[in-house]
Amino acid sequence: KNEVEQSPQNLTAQEGEFITINCSYSVGISALHWLQQHPGGGIVSLFMLSSGKKKHGRLIATINIQEKHSSLHITASHPRDSAVYICAVRFGNEKLTFGTGTRLTIIP
Amino acid sequence: NAGVTQTPKFRILKIGQSMTLQCTQDMNHNYMYWYRQDPGMGLKLIYYSVGAGITDKGEVPNGYNVSRSTTEDFPLRLELAAPSQTSVYFCASGRGANYGYTFGSGTRLTVV
């Protein structure tokens, strides 16, 4: 069965800390997406990657195809980074399968 | 550019009523999707479309219908609303299967 698991489910950290959110999947994929869902509910696409690493500002996404694992890192975290971060995976030609999300809270 | 526009933002329906959730995008994207998000669950695909005149079922299509008469619009129709359809609904669009998605702001629907 094609599955996506995220960890941790909840993460609370102090402002300035380095944050890591993990995503593991069960079988080979063609692409992996990281999304951010704000407290108001809106969803923003952060990254799409199929190999290697991508960086945008303080956000870094990596993927290890052999280990079927991706990480989303946030450097110098800030309270405005508080959100739910969602991993979504495309298994082959199938539609996206979504993880249940990691709720991140950054305390000033 | 407005991106993906969903209306309404909130709606309360009585059991058995019908309604249409509207979704419009102005980015000329061929691919459009409807998802529902239930508490503690990942987004589930209801229906999708790869272009005008083409629609297909996702994981959870029962109780819903869609149409895609134009590239811009992808309305989701709920017939005979049931409490199980209480959820937050998101419309999304993209250029293709291996491109990023743009999401609408969501519609919070409650069926009582």
Side-chain angles (χ1 to χ4, degrees):
Chain A
K1 184 180 175 183
N2 297 337
E3 292 184 336
V4 179
E5 290 192 2
Q6 289 187 237
S7 63
Q9 285 189 317
N10 295 284
L11 177 58
T12 299
Q14 293 291 132
E15 182 173 356
E17 286 190 37
F18 181 82
I19 303 299
T20 296
I21 298 170
N22 299 298
C23 177
S24 298
Y25 48 90
S26 54
V27 296
I29 64 169
S30 56
L32 183 144
H33 297 248
W34 280 104
L35 309 169
Q36 180 191 54
Q37 186 168 25
H38 293 285
I43 299 175
V44 174
S45 181
L46 297 175
F47 296 104
M48 190 197 72
L49 63 167
S50 55
S51 64
K53 174 180 173 179
K54 287 191 176 180
K55 184 176 188 291
H56 182 69
R58 295 180 295 106
L59 301 177
I60 303 165
T62 64
I63 188 167
N64 185 317
I65 299 297
Q66 287 73 28
E67 296 192 0
K68 300 184 178 60
H69 179 268
S70 175
S71 293
L72 177 68
H73 304 286
I74 304 174
T75 62
S77 59
H78 189 276
R80 66 175 174 264
D81 297 325
S82 297
V84 176
Y85 292 85
I86 301 169
C87 171
V89 167
R90 183 179 308 285
F91 295 102
N93 291 324
E94 298 298 316
K95 301 299 166 284
L96 287 183
T97 298
F98 289 78
T100 55
T102 294
R103 184 175 299 276
L104 174 66
T105 303
I106 303 297
I107 299 171
Chain B
N1 283 348
V4 178
T5 303
Q6 281 184 245
T7 58
K9 292 191 185 304
F10 304 93
R11 183 73 185 267
I12 299 174
L13 276 184
K14 293 185 178 178
I15 293 171
Q17 286 186 321
S18 300
M19 76 165 293
T20 299
L21 280 66
Q22 302 291 345
C23 177
T24 300
Q25 54 94 6
D26 62 0
M27 297 168 286
N28 203 33
H29 287 167
N30 282 326
Y31 285 59
M32 295 188 75
Y33 309 86
W34 274 106
Y35 293 95
R36 59 177 288 171
Q37 185 179 40
D38 299 315
M41 305 288 288
L43 278 79
K44 299 293 185 186
L45 182 64
I46 305 171
Y47 271 94
Y48 68 99
S49 169
V50 298
I54 306 168
T55 63
D56 208 345
K57 296 178 180 179
E59 301 171 76
V60 290
N62 291 345
Y64 307 94
N65 276 300
V66 293
S67 60
R68 185 93 183 270
S69 57
T70 66
T71 299
E72 294 78 21
D73 299 308
F74 191 41
L76 177 71
R77 178 82 177 161
L78 279 72
E79 304 283 1
L80 298 175
S84 61
Q85 293 178 304
T86 294
S87 189
V88 181
Y89 291 84
F90 287 96
C91 178
S93 72
R95 286 191 288 155
N98 289 320
Y99 291 86
Y101 287 26
T102 300
F103 284 82
S105 56
T107 296
R108 185 174 294 275
L109 175 67
T110 303
V111 182
V112 296

